[in-house]
Amino acid sequence: MAGQAPAPVNEQREVAELKAVLSRLVSDRQAEGANPPRGPYVMPPISQPKPAPVGRAKTGPAAPLARPVPAPGGARPVALPMARPGPGAQSPADMVIRPLRAPGEQDLRLIVVHRDGSDGAVYSLVGSQIDLGRTEGDLLFDDSHLADRHARIRSGPDGHVLEPLENLNGIFLRLRANVPIEIGHGDRVLSGKQLLELEIVPEGEHNLRPAVEHGVVLFGSSDRPAWGRLRQVTATGVGRDLFHLSRNEIVIGREQGDIVFSDDEFMSRKHARLAFHNGRVVFEDIGSSNGSFIKLRAPHTLASGDLVRMGDQLMRFEFGI
C-alpha cells in the first residue's frame, strides 16, 4: 500500500502538464488569428512611403446604417476590426437590424481592401444616405488623412452616388485599364506613389520670344513650346518636380517613358500616358499592376466593382439584387 501512494501525485502532474500544453496551443492559435502574415503592399500611403497605422471602422452613436457582414469566401476582417456601436448604442447582440433592402432594391456593400490586395471587413450600407468620415458620420475610420465628415453616399432610383464633402485630400477613383478619360486644368492623378497635378499652359505663355536686356538678346537652351505641365504634389503642400509637356503623347513609367520615376516600386515599367489633341487632354492607365486613380471633382455614380481611395483607406463597392 505504501508503494502505491505516489501514483495520484504523478497523475496530477501529468494532467497539469497536459493542460499547460493545451493552453499554449490555444494561445498560439489565437495569436496567429490576430496577427496574420501580411504580403507586399498593393497601394502605398500618399503622404509617406511607410504604411500608416491601419484604422478601425466604427459606427456612430445612432442606430448604425453600416453593419459588418461576413466577408465572401470566408475571409476574416483582420486588418480592420468589426464595426462597434458608439457610446449609448446597443450591443450588436441587442441591435434591431432593419431590412437590408426593399424588394428589387440593390444591396450596396463596402469591402475594405488590405494592402496585400485581399478583402477585409465587409459592410452592408443601408439607407438613402450614408456618411463616411473620421469622427462624424455612419461609418468611421481612424485615419488622420480623412476629414471629420469626408464623403457621402446617396442611394435612390438613379443608383448609388458617391459625393466628396471635403477637397483637401478628397476621393480618388481607380480608372479602368486602357480606358482613356478626359482631364483638365487642376485635375490630380495618382500613379504609383506619385500624386501629379495637371496645369494647362495659359495662352499668354504660348510662342514666347527670347528675352532682351539692354538691347542684348538672352542666350539659352532652345525651348520647345509646351501645352501643359505636370506638377508633383508632396505631403508638405509644396510642389517638387515640374514636368513640361510639349509632345502630343507622354508616357509615364518606372523604367520606360518620357517621365520616369525610377525609385517608385509601386509604378509599372510603362504605367500611364497623357495625350493632347485639338486642345483636349486625355489620361489613360495602360494596364499597370497597381492602377491609376483620379481625384473626383464632382459626385460620381458608383458602378459595381469600383475601387475608391480615401485617405489611407482602399475600398471596393459592390451591389446586386
Side-chain angles (χ1 to χ4, degrees):
M1 296 294 293
Q4 297 178 355
V9 176
N10 293 335
E11 291 176 358
Q12 293 175 1
R13 183 182 298 110
E14 290 175 358
V15 170
E17 291 175 353
L18 181 59
K19 288 182 177 179
V21 171
L22 291 175
S23 177
R24 285 195 299 270
L25 289 173
V26 171
S27 298
D28 292 343
R29 180 62 56 86
Q30 291 176 343
E32 290 174 0
N35 300 283
R38 299 180 65 178
Y41 292 151
V42 170
M43 283 298 299
I46 294 176
S47 57
Q48 63 271 352
K50 62 181 181 179
V54 180
R56 294 187 302 171
K58 58 184 179 180
T59 58
L65 296 177
R67 66 181 181 90
V69 298
R76 294 175 299 166
V78 291
L80 291 179
M82 304 292 275
R84 57 184 176 85
Q90 294 172 303
S91 66
D94 299 330
M95 281 182 189
V96 177
I97 303 299
R98 292 174 291 172
L100 286 181
R101 59 188 185 275
E105 184 182 351
Q106 292 180 328
D107 177 21
L108 177 62
R109 297 180 299 279
L110 183 155
I111 298 97
V112 176
V113 181
H114 296 326
R115 296 196 185 279
D116 62 0
S118 62
D119 288 352
V122 181
Y123 300 96
S124 184
L125 306 181
V126 183
S128 59
Q129 177 176 304
I130 306 291
D131 285 357
L132 295 80
R134 179 164 51 91
T135 62
E136 300 176 4
D138 306 294
L139 187 59
L140 308 183
F141 297 88
D142 187 10
D143 184 342
S144 60
H145 296 97
L146 295 178
D148 290 338
R149 191 180 295 266
H150 197 93
R152 175 168 294 159
I153 302 171
R154 298 183 185 272
S155 298
D158 297 329
H160 307 288
V161 178
L162 176 63
E163 177 185 358
L165 297 180
E166 70 85 43
N167 194 48
L168 182 62
N169 289 329
I171 301 172
F172 285 80
L173 172 71
R174 180 165 177 168
L175 301 177
R176 308 285 178 178
N178 302 309
V179 177
I181 64 163
E182 186 173 351
I183 62 174
H185 181 81
D187 276 333
R188 291 187 174 187
V189 294
L190 176 65
S191 293
K193 293 191 297 186
Q194 310 307 316
L195 183 58
L196 305 170
E197 181 175 314
L198 175 66
E199 298 177 355
I200 302 297
V201 172
E203 193 68 28
E205 293 186 27
H206 291 179
N207 302 317
L208 293 177
R209 303 181 63 180
V212 178
E213 186 174 344
H214 303 299
V216 179
V217 178
L218 183 65
F219 175 79
S221 301
S222 59
D223 185 22
R224 185 175 180 180
W227 54 264
R229 295 181 284 261
L230 273 184
R231 183 170 63 91
Q232 191 179 31
V233 181
T234 67
T236 62
V238 179
R240 188 179 175 185
D241 293 337
L242 189 66
F243 305 95
H244 294 268
L245 312 175
S246 56
R247 298 181 180 180
N248 289 336
E249 182 172 308
I250 293 95
V251 174
I252 303 171
R254 189 184 75 250
E255 297 180 4
Q256 299 179 5
D258 305 286
I259 301 176
V260 175
F261 298 95
S262 56
D263 295 332
D264 191 340
E265 67 275 21
F266 296 99
M267 185 172 285
S268 296
R269 294 176 61 196
K270 294 176 69 174
H271 197 101
R273 75 177 184 95
L274 278 166
F276 180 74
H277 183 66
N278 292 334
R280 300 172 58 194
V281 183
V282 170
F283 182 86
E284 178 184 359
D285 182 274
I286 50 180
S288 66
S289 298
N290 290 328
S292 298
F293 294 72
I294 186 165
K295 186 177 181 181
L296 296 180
R297 290 186 132 190
H300 167 73
T301 300
L302 291 167
S304 187
D306 273 350
L307 272 169
V308 169
R309 172 128 192 200
M310 290 192 294
D312 267 341
Q313 311 301 319
L314 185 62
M315 54 193 71
R316 185 175 72 254
F317 290 93
E318 292 183 355
F319 46 86
I321 300 299

